[in-house]
């Protein structure tokens, strides 16, 4: 695994040692950059909806949000400037503008993005939880503060040396977003541990997995190669029998232990009624398919691999069309008039009346013709 570095919090250093002048310099938003610093990032908190600050270098020249040299990267939001300086000029710097006194200026140097290691064998559509944190040595930093306005994402890049491959197939697949707010897979908000639920929804093959944070200023990542194996559990529906009974059947590969297979999911019938489905083994009986139409299924499989690792697989969402049952051979298909409501029987009465009129007309014509012959 290759780990790229981010930034670690440094102490603001006023460029004078006198206590009285320290306070004055703090109010004037002055800070010192040591000659040993090769790269530094400034987090500058501003009053709401204020314009970006102006940086004054030790030699008196100025840096602006929209005008700065190539060794400066600058991102700005309505309340914050994030500025990275490469090979900054040593000495006292000053920031001018409507800087929020409560937060002021924070200088950042090297810290690390740490990430849980991926399993050595990953399956297609496997679901796993990964934790990440910003840390310096053994200290976990407040990710919510330093990642404000940024996002930490898990991406999957296909490894393909074919130059003719189209751009869409080479684009990274976003697997999930890490959060530290107590929602989703994250257990405790604000503890500095960011958590994401990752679903490897991609075709089997070789990939580059990357956890990445970037906003144009901060761009660091953790990455490693991963070989995605075929999905080891697959589901299929049987056809409902004459009594409308049917079931879910599961096919497993030799990579997993069949006896450990557990299924949970949800089946939604054509009336939009949801039924929880769960069971163990290769077959699960389903509620009778009494309503013809589309049945929607989504679920997950929990199974143990041959090497003893417990995994979770997101099963493919399916839509199954159930047709009405065919009539039996001994059923009477004659439609009696009494089987229809009266308002639907007009055509029967009209047909009978027409037949009667034709019969009467025929008899009258026959008698009239016979009378003429006499």
């Amino acid at each position: 695994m290759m780990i790229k570095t981010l930034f670690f919090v440094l102490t603001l250093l006023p460029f004078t040692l006198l206590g009285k002048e320290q306070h004055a310099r703090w109010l004037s938003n002055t800070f010192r950059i040591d000659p040993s610093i090769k790269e530094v990032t400034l987090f500058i908190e501003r009053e709401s909806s204020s314009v970006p600050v102006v940086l004054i270098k030790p030699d008196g020249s100025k840096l602006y949000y929209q005008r700065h040299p190539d060794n400066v990267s600058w991102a700005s939001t309505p309340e914050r400037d994030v500025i990275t300086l490469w090979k900054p000029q040593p000495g006292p710097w000053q920031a001018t503008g409507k800087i929020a006194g409560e937060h002021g200026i924070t200088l950042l140097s090297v810290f690390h993005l740490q990430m849980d290691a991926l399993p050595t064998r990953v399956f297609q559509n496997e679901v796993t939880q990964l934790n990440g944190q910003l840390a310096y040595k053994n200290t976990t930093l407040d990710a919510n503060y330093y990642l404000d306005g940024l996002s930490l994402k898990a991406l999957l890049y296909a490894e393909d040396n074919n130059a003719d491959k189209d751009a869409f197939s080479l684009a990274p697949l976003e697997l999930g977003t890490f959060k530290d707010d107590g929602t989703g897979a994250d257990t405790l908000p604000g503890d500095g541990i960011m958590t994401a639920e990752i679903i490897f929804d991609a075709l089997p093959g070789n990939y580059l997995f990357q956890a990445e944070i970037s906003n144009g200023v901060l761009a660091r990542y953790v990455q490693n190669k991963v070989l995605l194996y075929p999905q080891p559990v697959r589901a299929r529906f049987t056809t409902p029998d004459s009594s409308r009974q049917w079931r879910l059947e599961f096919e497993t590969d030799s990579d997993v232990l069949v006896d450990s297979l557990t299924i949970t999911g949800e089946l939604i019938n054509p009336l939009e009624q949801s039924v929880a489905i769960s069971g163990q083994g290769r077959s699960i009986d389903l509620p009778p398919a009494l309503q013809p139409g589309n049945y929607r299924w989504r679920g997950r499989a929990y199974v143990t691999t041959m090497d003893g690792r417990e995994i979770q697989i997101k099963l493919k969402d399916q839509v199954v069309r159930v047709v009405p049952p065919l009539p039996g051979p001994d059923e009477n298909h004659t439609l009696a008039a009494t089987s229809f409501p009266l308002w639907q029987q007009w055509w029967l009465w009209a047909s009978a009346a027409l037949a009667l009129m034709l019969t009467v007309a025929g008899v009258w014509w026959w008698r009239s013709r016979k009378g003429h012959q006499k």
Side-chain angles (χ1 to χ4, degrees):
M1 179 181 297
M2 181 173 63
I3 301 180
K4 299 293 184 180
T5 57
L6 282 174
F7 304 89
F8 177 66
V9 181
L10 294 179
T11 306
L12 285 174
L13 297 176
F15 69 89
T16 176
L17 298 179
L18 297 178
K20 183 176 180 180
E21 291 187 2
Q22 281 183 346
H23 182 65
R25 294 303 182 185
W26 172 256
L27 292 179
S28 63
N29 298 306
T30 301
F31 53 92
R32 173 178 290 275
I33 295 180
D34 189 86
S36 64
I37 299 298
K38 303 302 180 184
E39 177 183 338
V40 65
T41 294
L42 284 67
F43 278 65
I44 303 178
E45 306 294 335
R46 305 192 319 270
E47 296 179 7
S48 179
S49 301
S50 59
V51 299
V53 300
V54 175
L55 282 183
I56 303 176
K57 298 170 60 177
D59 62 6
S61 60
K62 297 180 178 65
L63 301 178
Y64 302 89
Y65 168 59
Q66 295 180 330
R67 190 171 76 249
H68 51 261
D70 293 338
N71 69 327
V72 177
S73 183
W74 196 318
S76 184
T77 70
E79 298 180 353
R80 172 182 285 187
D81 288 308
V82 183
I83 309 166
T84 296
L85 308 173
W86 286 276
K87 296 183 179 180
Q89 186 179 115
W93 288 64
Q94 185 175 6
T96 63
K98 294 184 177 181
I99 300 175
E102 181 180 353
H103 301 289
I105 306 172
T106 303
L107 277 69
L108 308 177
S109 186
V110 177
F111 65 79
H112 300 282
L113 172 61
Q114 298 178 347
M115 192 67 53
D116 289 346
L118 288 176
T120 55
R121 191 178 179 92
V122 182
F123 295 94
Q124 178 187 16
N125 285 319
E126 181 175 344
V127 182
T128 185
Q129 288 188 7
L130 290 180
N131 295 318
Q133 60 182 339
L134 305 178
Y136 174 75
K137 296 183 178 179
N138 296 324
T139 302
T140 299
L141 305 179
D142 183 358
N144 284 333
Y145 175 77
Y146 293 106
L147 298 184
D148 183 29
L150 308 178
S151 61
L152 178 59
K153 297 180 179 180
L155 304 173
L156 199 63
Y157 293 83
E159 287 197 340
D160 197 319
N161 297 324
N162 186 357
D164 297 330
K165 202 77 171 179
D166 63 271
F168 291 102
S169 60
L170 295 178
L173 175 65
E174 184 174 331
L175 302 180
T177 301
F178 291 80
K179 296 182 179 180
D180 186 23
D181 57 3
T183 64
D186 188 60
T187 56
L188 187 62
D191 63 348
I193 306 298
M194 300 169 288
T195 308
E197 182 179 79
I198 306 299
I199 302 177
F200 287 90
D201 185 9
L203 295 175
N206 291 303
Y207 293 89
L208 181 68
F209 174 82
Q210 180 169 295
E212 178 181 87
I213 177 174
S214 175
N215 72 342
V217 174
L218 299 174
R220 299 295 186 268
Y221 52 87
V222 173
Q223 66 180 24
N224 64 336
K225 294 183 178 181
V226 59
L227 173 59
L228 209 58
Y229 289 83
Q231 182 172 322
V233 181
R234 294 165 296 278
R236 60 173 293 272
F237 285 81
T238 63
T239 302
D241 59 21
S242 58
S243 60
R244 316 310 293 159
Q245 301 297 321
W246 60 333
R247 63 185 181 274
L248 260 175
E249 294 182 344
F250 300 94
E251 178 185 356
T252 60
D253 292 343
S254 58
D255 299 304
V256 297
L257 300 173
V258 179
D259 295 341
S260 67
L261 181 61
T262 299
I263 302 295
T264 63
E266 179 185 32
L267 185 66
I268 302 175
N269 68 12
L271 301 179
E272 296 299 319
Q273 297 169 332
S274 175
V275 178
I277 304 297
S278 63
Q280 295 180 328
R282 288 191 172 185
S283 178
I284 297 178
D285 292 331
L286 299 174
L290 302 178
Q291 297 292 334
N294 290 334
Y295 287 75
R296 304 197 307 274
W297 156 261
R298 55 175 173 258
R300 296 191 177 189
Y302 303 83
V303 68
T304 304
T305 63
M306 296 299 292
D307 57 4
R309 187 168 69 92
E310 295 183 357
I311 63 173
Q312 180 183 165
I313 300 294
K314 182 183 182 300
L315 299 173
K316 179 182 177 182
D317 293 348
Q318 297 189 50
V319 177
V320 182
R321 179 73 175 176
V322 174
V323 299
L326 296 175
D330 56 342
E331 293 185 15
N332 185 3
H333 301 290
T334 303
L335 297 178
T338 55
S339 64
F340 294 92
L342 290 177
W343 66 272
Q344 291 183 348
Q345 297 182 26
W346 65 269
W347 60 274
L348 294 174
W349 293 106
S351 299
L354 180 61
L356 180 60
M357 291 173 61
L358 291 175
T359 301
V360 172
V363 172
W364 177 83
W365 178 81
W366 179 77
R367 287 185 175 182
S368 298
R369 184 177 180 184
K370 188 174 182 181
H372 285 299
Q373 290 177 352
K374 290 181 178 181

